[in-house]
Amino acid sequence: MSRLKPQEEYEKTMAFHFFRWLSGSKDPYVGEVEMKPQKEAEITESTILERMNESQMIRDKIYDVENNKKLILFHKIYVACAILFSIILAGLLLYTVSCLPRIGNAGNPANNEVPERYIEKGLEETGAVNIVTGMILDYRAFDTFGESNVLFIATITVLILLHEKKKKAVKLDDEDDRIYEPKNDVILQASAAILVPVIIIFGIYIILNGHLSPGGGFSGGAVIGAGLILYLNAFGFKKTERMFTEKTYKVVCCVALTFYCLAKSYSFFTGANHLESHIPLGKAGHILSSGLILPLNICVGLVVACTMYTFYVMFRKGDF
Amino acid sequence: MTVFQCILLGFLVVCAISVSFSKNLLNSILIYMSYSLVMSLIWVCLESPDLAITEAAVGAGVTSILFFATLKKIHAIQIEKEKGRDENE
């Protein structure tokens, strides 16, 4: 059982020393360190003019054409080389195109045994009526996993770039979009009230029927994300923050990606070792069929929908 | 069907060229949106509805909305800004 220690006792522990060193108030080698806020560098008009003059002077010195005859020669050679390089590149590409087999030829490499197997045995092996989904979530599921991870990393990068901490209370009114919200646009709200449920249900339909009809996790997730953005635009941040916060995003994305990783690792492990996977394929054409494809579709859809919505929120106000 | 596809392809070329020649950034985003819409129709004609749904949702929907948000942030949409100020005052 942990109990709060009194201050004097706490100052003797290792943790106190460690956190003091971590926060930089005392360094074991330097001693007491006084923290001073950094002064902001003053930028007056004269310094800006000086800098502009400096860059102009440097440019004049470098491109001193009158005293530097070599420079003119260099420019001529540069232009000639650029044109020559472009012509060579274009010619190379055209030559490569001319070497490609003709479109529609039966003996093309595109018609080799891999797509043949996908088309002939895809339904039997994956249980998915939609061969495209069977391909991307069963044969090529590892690529789709990478795709989801790329989206996740992109969101993290956007979060790092655009995230503003709440401690910065002083904000310019101009920068904060939220002061104009909610606008209470009657037309927008009325149409959104009708459209948003339809859009989100359509997105869920696309995800759940990914293995039966065109669509799948990515497209359905994008549709749901678009619906959420429309809802946000119509009703403002206060309403969406009740159901979707930064924590929701983190939990949903991490759970979905982890499940995807574990499920696919299992099926790759059993597939590589020629073991029985014990996942029933079901009857082709039913909703609950084709083994792991349906849950994987749901995972991808969740990640994509959350990512789209988060992108928009980060662009709008840089915070959840 | 071929004539329809040719018309759509012509639209594509016109959109792609006019995006770069449009002076107003807002206009070029709108043209880019229509480019994505035409592209999704072409995907349907090429018998790949999977891609058509994705193109319509991502290309015409989410990407352009992100562009709009960016334009608002950098104050490239002047009329919108002035209107907002008027309402605020």
Side-chain angles (χ1 to χ4, degrees):
Chain A
M1 211 178 102
S2 65
R3 189 183 292 168
L4 277 176
K5 284 180 182 175
Q7 184 66 25
E8 292 163 20
E9 209 174 307
Y10 175 65
E11 279 177 16
K12 287 172 193 165
T13 56
M14 285 286 283
F16 172 73
H17 290 284
F18 177 71
F19 281 111
R20 195 171 57 173
W21 170 74
L22 202 67
S23 69
S25 61
K26 186 170 178 183
D27 197 281
Y29 299 106
V30 185
E32 294 277 346
V33 182
E34 198 182 346
M35 304 283 275
K36 274 184 190 169
Q38 204 172 11
K39 269 186 191 174
E40 218 169 286
E42 271 185 56
I43 300 173
T44 54
E45 204 169 324
S46 58
T47 54
I48 294 171
L49 281 177
E50 230 168 74
R51 277 183 206 168
M52 282 165 72
N53 277 343
E54 271 175 11
S55 59
Q56 190 60 44
M57 266 162 54
I58 291 168
R59 207 169 293 155
D60 284 347
K61 258 186 193 172
I62 293 172
Y63 298 108
D64 191 4
V65 183
E66 285 170 12
N67 299 328
N68 200 349
K69 299 290 177 198
K70 275 183 190 170
L71 198 69
I72 305 169
L73 192 69
F74 172 76
H75 267 290
K76 277 178 184 168
I77 292 174
Y78 183 82
V79 171
C81 279
I83 293 172
L84 199 69
F85 181 73
S86 304
I87 290 172
I88 288 174
L89 193 66
L92 208 64
L93 290 174
L94 284 175
Y95 174 71
T96 317
V97 168
S98 75
C99 287
L100 287 176
R102 283 184 66 83
I103 294 171
N105 198 345
N108 281 357
N111 301 331
N112 61 12
E113 56 195 43
V114 176
E116 221 167 73
R117 188 190 168 93
Y118 284 175
I119 291 168
E120 282 175 2
K121 293 206 171 173
L123 183 60
E124 187 186 317
E125 283 177 355
T126 66
V129 179
N130 184 5
I131 298 174
V132 178
T133 310
M135 238 182 268
I136 61 173
L137 281 177
D138 200 293
Y139 292 116
R140 304 270 167 172
F142 207 63
D143 303 8
T144 316
F145 181 53
E147 199 179 78
S148 307
N149 271 329
V150 164
L151 262 180
F152 188 57
I153 291 166
T155 334
I156 290 171
T157 319
V158 170
L159 276 169
I160 292 169
L161 282 175
L162 297 179
H163 196 70
E164 290 169 1
K165 278 181 184 167
K166 276 177 185 167
K167 282 175 188 170
K168 276 187 196 167
V170 187
K171 262 188 189 172
L172 290 172
D173 289 353
D174 237 19
E175 304 232 324
D176 195 2
D177 275 343
R178 284 198 285 174
I179 53 169
Y180 305 135
E181 273 194 9
K183 275 185 174 167
N184 290 324
D185 192 325
V186 178
I187 300 172
L188 182 62
Q189 286 191 351
S191 50
I194 299 167
L195 274 178
V196 167
V198 178
I199 291 174
I200 290 180
I201 286 174
F202 181 59
I204 293 170
Y205 165 81
I206 292 176
I207 292 177
L208 291 185
N209 278 289
H211 52 299
L212 304 178
S213 58
F218 189 82
S219 25
V223 170
I224 292 179
L228 284 175
I229 291 173
L230 178 59
Y231 181 78
L232 170 66
N233 268 325
F235 296 104
F237 281 103
K238 257 188 191 162
K239 293 237 170 152
T240 53
E241 270 166 5
R242 287 185 310 192
M243 57 150 188
F244 197 102
T245 55
E246 194 178 1
K247 207 179 165 192
T248 327
Y249 172 72
K250 279 179 192 161
V251 170
V252 167
C253 268
C254 289
V255 168
L257 284 176
T258 315
F259 175 75
Y260 194 114
C261 178
L262 291 177
K264 239 26 240 187
S265 306
Y266 173 72
S267 73
F268 278 132
F269 178 75
T270 53
N273 294 313
H274 299 288
L275 296 170
E276 190 76 27
S277 72
H278 296 295
I279 297 168
L281 282 183
K283 201 177 168 193
H286 285 204
I287 279 261
L288 289 175
S289 68
S290 64
L292 277 173
I293 290 182
L294 182 62
L296 293 184
N297 251 336
I298 294 172
C299 284
V300 176
L302 282 175
V303 172
V304 173
C306 292
T307 308
M308 295 290 171
Y309 179 75
T310 312
F311 268 167
Y312 184 70
V313 173
M314 295 313 293
F315 270 72
R316 277 299 295 281
K317 56 172 184 162
D319 195 5
F320 268 98
Chain B
M1 207 59 192
T2 330
V3 180
F4 183 58
Q5 279 191 36
C6 285
I7 294 170
L8 285 179
L9 286 172
F11 262 131
L12 265 195
V13 174
V14 170
C15 285
I17 292 171
S18 55
V19 161
S20 49
F21 281 105
S22 156
K23 284 266 167 68
N24 192 347
L25 283 175
L26 190 65
N27 280 353
S28 39
I29 292 173
L30 291 174
I31 297 167
Y32 173 75
M33 254 171 122
S34 55
Y35 176 93
S36 285
L37 213 62
V38 173
M39 197 67 215
S40 73
L41 282 179
I42 290 178
W43 285 127
V44 174
C45 290
L46 293 172
E47 294 178 14
S48 53
D50 296 66
L51 275 175
I53 298 170
T54 316
E55 178 81 38
V58 176
V62 178
T63 320
S64 356
I65 290 174
L66 286 182
F67 274 130
F68 282 137
T70 315
L71 276 194
K72 207 179 168 190
K73 278 271 155 181
I74 62 170
H75 303 305
I77 309 178
Q78 289 296 332
I79 308 156
E80 184 77 10
K81 189 180 149 197
E82 282 163 20
K83 221 196 256 171
R85 276 213 178 131
D86 290 343
E87 278 171 18
N88 208 28
E89 279 164 9

